[in-house]
Amino acid sequence: MAVEKGSKVKVDYEGTLEDGTVFDCSANHGAPLEFEVGAGHILPGFEEAILGKEAGDEAEVTLPPEEAYGEVSEQLVHVVPKDQIPIDRELEVDMVLAVSLPDGRQIPARITCVEEENVTPDMNHPLAGKTLKFKIKVVEI
């Protein structure tokens, strides 16, 4: 049986940056990644790499930023007054805060600058602007 849209699959994977740095792998989660192909929960290029594959098959795919988490957007970086950040501890560069969106969802924002009265959170995905490489093995369909 080959992977097609609608298939429920389990895959082992390793995701690396162009310099070879591993940013994620299924081994870190203790189990293969399970998902339904075409359901929109996985990067489309990742899914396309396994279409037509069978259990035991492997694939490699390189996704440029526009096919992964997009380019870095300056519109997602804002300077805000410190007193608008509801946190009871000292703000630091690289600290990650949860930011609530109007629809109730929360997204992470990494602090990029802390000044006396202002703080700059960056709401871009941590992998925005990066080319991602994946090695994928179909474990089960």
Side-chain angles (χ1 to χ4, degrees):
M1 174 193 310
V3 175
E4 56 188 38
K5 287 192 181 198
S7 296
K8 290 189 169 103
V9 298
K10 292 182 182 181
V11 300
D12 280 325
Y13 69 93
E14 178 180 74
T16 59
L17 303 176
E18 287 183 292
D19 67 3
T21 302
V22 176
F23 65 85
D24 194 17
C25 67
S26 55
N28 287 349
H29 303 285
L33 173 65
E34 296 183 47
F35 63 96
E36 181 181 333
V37 178
H41 300 293
I42 303 295
L43 294 171
F46 186 102
E47 290 185 334
E48 288 171 21
I50 64 168
L51 285 174
K53 303 285 190 229
E54 297 184 2
D57 287 351
E58 297 182 8
E60 290 189 24
V61 64
T62 299
L63 302 177
E66 60 274 12
E67 293 178 24
Y69 292 99
E71 296 293 347
V72 173
S73 170
E74 292 304 316
Q75 294 177 349
L76 296 176
V77 180
H78 302 277
V79 176
V80 296
K82 271 186 179 178
D83 62 8
Q84 289 187 10
I85 306 290
I87 189 169
D88 59 355
R89 63 180 204 242
E90 191 69 28
L91 295 169
E92 300 173 7
V93 171
D94 287 333
M95 178 183 279
V96 177
L97 306 172
V99 174
S100 296
L101 300 177
D103 65 6
R105 290 183 300 142
Q106 289 193 331
I107 60 170
R110 185 177 61 84
I111 303 297
T112 59
C113 181
V114 177
E115 298 171 322
E116 189 171 325
E117 296 193 15
N118 296 316
V119 63
T120 307
D122 179 349
M123 293 180 285
N124 283 286
H125 188 283
L127 296 172
K130 299 189 181 335
T131 296
L132 308 180
K133 296 182 175 200
F134 291 97
K135 291 180 184 176
I136 309 165
K137 181 178 182 178
V138 178
V139 176
E140 186 179 307
I141 304 170

